Amino acid sequence: MQQESAPWYKHFWPWFIICLMGTAVTASLITVYIAIDGSDDVVSDTYYKDGLAINQLLDQDKLANELGFSAQITLGSDATVAVLNSNGALPEQVILKLLHPASDELDQNVFLFHEGNGNYRGAGTLPDQRYYVQLTGSDNGRPWRLSGEYQPGLAVLSLQ
């Protein structure tokens, strides 16, 4: 006596095992897609070159200190005003960089133009988050930089 068995595809357990493996493969492919699409902006691919550039940035800070630069920046809803003090000549234009700590897409550059007596003005939007602030310019082709940090609700920012 032999019993005729139904073909494998008509049984429950082979399909159950195939579904488990299919679910695992699908979940791993979704995980790979999320990892590639949502890459982290904070981590730089050029960390070695960035490390070498730190000395240049420190030289810019040192030059700003030697030239006696300091600034008071007022961030308004329609315009940004900076008062720049210096021991020497003041540049005609400076750049105010608002650098978001976590996302490069939220960074802003505001060009400030000299109005006289160390006053600079430019159009920019008031950030509603914490930002790192850099005021940059050049003195006879040598770049300098002042740095600080902006917190929401801060009306006047001092940079040294």
Side-chain angles (χ1 to χ4, degrees), residues 5-88:
S5 174
W8 70 270
Y9 54 85
K10 291 189 177 182
H11 292 278
F12 169 75
W13 289 109
W15 288 111
F16 179 75
I17 293 171
I18 289 171
C19 286
L20 283 178
M21 290 188 294
T23 303
V25 169
T26 303
S28 66
L29 291 175
I30 290 171
T31 303
V32 168
Y33 172 76
I34 291 170
I36 291 172
D37 186 52
S39 63
D40 194 1
D41 289 342
V42 176
V43 179
S44 173
D45 292 336
T46 58
Y47 61 90
Y48 181 74
K49 289 181 182 178
D50 293 344
L52 293 176
I54 288 175
N55 288 337
Q56 293 175 349
L57 295 176
L58 293 176
D59 289 343
Q60 291 177 4
D61 293 342
K62 185 178 176 183
L63 179 61
N65 191 27
E66 289 173 3
L67 295 172
F69 282 123
S70 65
Q72 297 285 329
I73 299 174
T74 304
L75 299 169
S77 60
D78 59 346
T80 300
V81 177
V83 178
L84 185 62
N85 300 312
S86 170
N87 295 338

Side-chain angles (χ1 to χ4, degrees), residues 115-138:
E115 293 183 329
N117 296 329
N119 293 324
Y120 290 80
R121 184 178 298 273
T125 59
L126 183 65
D128 58 351
Q129 303 176 39
R130 183 176 73 109
Y131 274 83
Y132 296 115
V133 179
Q134 293 179 353
L135 188 65
T136 61
S138 65

